[in-house]
Amino acid sequence: MIDFRSDTFTKPTPGMMDAMMKAQVGDDVFGEDPSVNLLEAKMADLFGMEAALYCPSGTMSNQVAIKVHTLPGDEVICSHLAHVYIYEGGGIAFNAGAQTRPINSNRGMIKAAQVEAAINPDDVHKARTSLVCLENTSNRGGGCCYDWNDIVQISEVCEQSNLQLHLDGARLFNALVATKQEAKDYGGVFDSISVCFNKGMGCPMGSVLMGSRDFIREARRVRKKLGGGLRQAGYMAATCLYALDHHIGRLQEDHDHAKMLATALIENQYVGHMFPVDTNIIIFDVQNGMTAQRFSDILRKDDILVMPVAANQVRIVTHLDVNREMVQQACDAIVQMQNQL
Ligand SMILES: *Cc1c(COP(=O)(O)O)cnc(C)c1O
């Protein structure tokens, strides 16, 4: 099977397994796991932030951040396509007792003027606006990267209005590679950042949340309450340390593979509008009587898996476990499809 459904379908490489087996571990709830401590220190250092916290999933690191940044009844501004809004099970309401203010956005990316207009006045009728959540790359927006100036302008609005600014950076490394930016640029403008290791980085699990020392102290308490305090988590942290050393630069390959697939797809008469391909995610509409399910079923016959994300929309994601030959094979199958039907 060639699995393009998500970049979460990767398995640890032999090198990563080896790193796991050799990991130094301890009880992380007591703060005594050297591998977790090293991962947290390295990530904080990489992003120029004071402290970091290893969490079991990206959802948990986002939810922990939102809980720490808000009080019950507060309002969180985010895009209408944000993962924190549409894919975290209503977690903002459940965990933080806060409500969301989803903003209509181009591919999941909001603008400073929209944030400014969505801030509630100091009025007892209104929920207190306390947090803005951005997402980079934007998953439902087809892996697009925020314009840096937009981020800076939003951070200025937040500063002026005393709002916290959180980044759901599940695929932030993809954005850094694609835009050739530095991690520290991001650390400098956000109050908190979460980064996933279970996506393109190829690890079995985990995410790292970063922020100020005070923020992370609180985040550690919330993570414990959510049941996310792990014991010998160093076996998993070791995979993340390995990925930091070996899997960031290679993300460019995933982006190149996505471009190859996009080029083949555009030639297919059943493929309609496609978002520009900035990183490792391709989202396109199907047309000419095709449905997303049928498109997926046809490719499945050639052992190629893609994901229907709406009745007429398909998602393809490249990652560590699809190599150049597999991508070429998929390109051939996409071209062949026309002749078969
Ligand atoms: C995958 C993802 C997450 C978190 O996912 P987990 O599966 O909980 O690790 C958060 N935000 C975005 C944008 C994602 O794509």
Side-chain angles (χ1 to χ4, degrees):
M1 283 290 175
I2 307 176
D3 204 333
F4 292 109
R5 287 174 298 167
S6 174
D7 44 8
T8 53
F9 283 90
T10 55
K11 304 229 170 77
T13 60
M16 187 176 275
M17 290 293 272
D18 199 41
M20 211 186 299
M21 289 306 138
K22 291 185 178 135
Q24 303 280 313
V25 298
D27 188 335
D28 181 50
V29 176
F30 285 80
E32 292 183 15
D33 188 298
S35 302
V36 172
N37 291 342
L38 181 60
L39 174 66
E40 291 173 348
K42 274 202 173 185
M43 285 294 284
D45 185 53
L46 182 62
F47 282 84
M49 299 185 93
E50 284 178 2
L53 181 72
Y54 181 60
C55 293
S57 72
T59 299
M60 191 184 288
S61 56
N62 282 333
Q63 291 297 320
V64 164
I66 293 165
K67 174 66 188 161
V68 175
H69 285 311
T70 60
L71 289 172
D74 282 2
E75 196 160 87
V76 179
I77 295 174
C78 63
S79 150
H80 74 302
L81 296 177
H83 194 280
V84 294
Y85 173 54
I86 59 174
Y87 291 137
E88 297 188 4
I92 292 181
F94 188 82
N95 297 308
Q99 64 188 26
T100 38
R101 178 79 164 260
I103 307 281
N104 270 321
S105 63
N106 174 32
R107 302 181 69 192
M109 298 179 296
I110 57 179
K111 299 269 189 191
Q114 291 179 297
V115 172
E116 210 161 11
I119 299 170
N120 286 333
D122 184 5
D123 172 338
V124 291
H125 295 88
K126 302 285 186 174
R128 190 178 65 125
T129 309
S130 54
L131 174 66
V132 176
C133 285
L134 305 184
E135 184 175 315
N136 202 25
T137 67
S138 161
N139 176 350
R140 202 62 185 78
C144 51
C145 304
Y146 251 98
D147 185 295
W148 179 247
N149 287 328
D150 286 342
I151 291 180
V152 171
Q153 284 171 18
I154 290 170
S155 78
E156 285 164 4
V157 169
C158 289
E159 189 125 343
Q160 282 155 21
S161 303
N162 219 1
L163 308 182
Q164 298 295 299
L165 183 59
H166 172 71
L167 177 63
D168 175 356
R171 294 186 182 81
L172 185 53
F173 284 123
N174 292 86
L176 292 176
V177 167
T179 61
K180 301 190 167 54
Q181 276 186 284
E182 296 295 329
K184 285 198 170 62
D185 297 338
Y186 281 82
V189 297
F190 285 94
D191 295 297
S192 58
I193 300 179
S194 65
V195 176
C196 278
F197 282 85
N198 56 5
K199 301 270 168 78
M201 298 294 275
C203 302
M205 58 173 271
S207 164
V208 173
L209 178 64
M210 292 164 284
S212 70
R213 223 166 267 121
D214 288 346
F215 170 83
I216 292 295
R217 191 178 305 118
E218 273 310 296
R220 203 174 282 282
R221 293 187 75 89
V222 174
R223 184 189 67 172
K224 184 73 176 118
K225 287 191 237 283
L226 296 178
L230 302 173
R231 302 297 176 177
Q232 285 71 33
Y235 291 114
M236 289 298 132
T239 69
C240 305
L241 288 164
Y242 180 87
L244 282 177
D245 287 339
H246 299 94
H247 292 170
I248 296 180
R250 65 152 305 285
L251 289 172
Q252 185 59 47
E253 279 173 47
D254 296 345
H255 302 172
D256 294 343
H257 288 161
K259 289 232 163 60
M260 280 172 68
L261 287 160
T263 306
L265 285 162
I266 288 163
E267 297 300 319
N268 186 310
Q269 60 160 313
Y270 300 107
V271 174
H273 174 264
M274 185 191 295
F275 286 140
V277 178
D278 296 341
T279 55
N280 69 326
I281 302 178
I282 307 166
I283 294 183
F284 58 92
D285 292 342
V286 290
Q287 61 180 14
N288 293 339
M290 180 60 73
T291 64
Q293 190 56 52
R294 183 142 173 264
F295 194 92
S296 153
D297 291 344
I298 295 166
L299 288 176
R300 187 180 279 266
K301 291 198 191 97
D302 287 321
D303 290 336
I304 294 160
L305 304 182
V306 301
M307 188 145 95
V309 286
N312 69 333
Q313 205 173 44
V314 177
R315 189 180 85 156
I316 291 181
V317 186
T318 56
H319 52 77
L320 187 60
D321 283 9
V322 288
N323 60 29
R324 182 63 59 108
E325 290 75 58
M326 292 157 134
V327 170
Q328 192 55 57
Q329 207 176 314
C331 289
D332 294 344
I334 289 161
V335 173
Q336 287 286 316
M337 184 191 288
Q338 325 240 57
N339 311 331
Q340 288 166 4
L341 299 178

